[in-house]
Amino acid sequence: MSSHSDINQNNSYFEYIVYKLNELKNEFQIHDDSVFTKLRLQKLLFLVSTINATSDNKGLLDIFNNFYALPYGPVESDIYNSMNNGAFENIKFNGNKCDLSKLNENTFNSLDNHYKDLVNASIEKLKAKGVIKEYLEMPVFDLVNITHQWTVWQVAMSIAKMLNSGSESMSTDDIINSNVKAY
């Protein structure tokens, strides 16, 4: 279990990811105000956190390390709880929709540049692969289907079903070593 200060710090890095994704939304001139829902942001968080993670350098999985397999794909439990408890400082959720009106670049001046660089590199890699614009525009359940292709999610959900549970933990090592990684 993460400590309260770790969760607050993780929340700040999540907000930074949302800020950077919103910059891309504007760059790509995506005018859909419902782009940033809880479900889409959870799928994007998983994909952003895993794109550069390796056994030697877990990258963003050092921060976002509490993923669970749920029926709609991987969910970072600490961030999920913060979404539902209104625990973010700069973003708010009205139902499932994310309100970004308080976000600006100065919000993140105090964050560790190392982790901001990891976020930027991950998003840039998804952009270079040509998928990030699609992720922001595609129906959210297409994103769910992408995360369902990951072997780690499939195995964890199989275990959850065997245990009559709705979810199962996915370790960072299992995520990194997933036989199938879909982007």
Side-chain angles (χ1 to χ4, degrees):
M1 181 106 197
S2 301
S3 74
H4 183 68
S5 64
D6 287 343
I7 290 171
N8 286 340
Q9 182 177 8
N10 294 0
N11 285 352
S12 295
Y13 287 111
F14 175 73
E15 288 180 328
Y16 183 69
I17 290 171
V18 173
Y19 170 75
K20 296 304 285 184
L21 291 171
N22 191 54
E23 280 188 333
L24 286 175
K25 177 185 169 234
N26 294 330
E27 177 184 325
F28 296 137
Q29 297 181 347
I30 299 169
H31 300 293
D32 184 356
D33 287 337
S34 65
V35 165
F36 296 119
T37 62
K38 289 178 182 178
L39 183 58
R40 183 180 307 274
L41 287 173
Q42 280 287 340
K43 300 315 113 196
L44 290 170
L45 175 60
F46 179 76
L47 296 167
V48 167
S49 296
T50 59
I51 188 77
N52 285 329
T54 66
S55 296
D56 295 331
N57 181 357
K58 292 182 180 178
L60 292 173
L61 289 178
D62 277 339
I63 299 172
F64 305 108
N65 56 13
N66 197 15
F67 280 100
Y68 280 78
L70 273 80
Y72 292 139
V75 169
E76 212 289 341
S77 185
D78 295 329
I79 297 300
Y80 178 81
N81 291 336
S82 292
M83 285 176 165
N84 291 322
N85 297 332
F88 293 104
E89 285 186 41
N90 301 293
I91 60 176
K92 301 288 180 224
F93 287 91
N94 302 318
N96 282 321
K97 188 178 170 189
C98 185
D99 176 2
L100 311 174
S101 60
K102 289 178 66 178
L103 285 183
N104 65 67
E105 190 170 5
N106 296 331
T107 305
F108 306 106
N109 289 342
S110 65
L111 292 183
D112 184 312
N113 283 330
H114 170 72
Y115 289 111
K116 286 169 54 176
D117 290 344
L118 290 176
V119 168
N120 295 337
S122 293
I123 290 174
E124 282 302 314
K125 188 164 185 180
L126 289 170
K127 189 176 177 184
K129 287 177 90 54
V131 295
I132 195 69
K133 183 176 188 277
E134 291 175 40
Y135 290 171
L136 294 171
E137 292 179 316
M138 69 176 44
V140 72
F141 284 99
D142 289 355
L143 266 179
V144 168
N145 290 334
I146 289 169
T147 62
H148 281 187
Q149 294 175 42
W150 284 64
T151 312
V152 65
W153 178 85
Q154 294 171 2
V155 169
M157 280 309 298
S158 294
I159 292 169
K161 287 177 184 173
M162 285 189 300
L163 299 173
N164 283 334
S165 173
S167 66
E168 181 63 30
S169 178
M170 298 174 10
S171 74
T172 55
D173 288 336
D174 288 344
I175 293 169
I176 289 167
N177 295 318
S178 185
N179 290 331
V180 174
K181 297 177 182 179
Y183 291 100

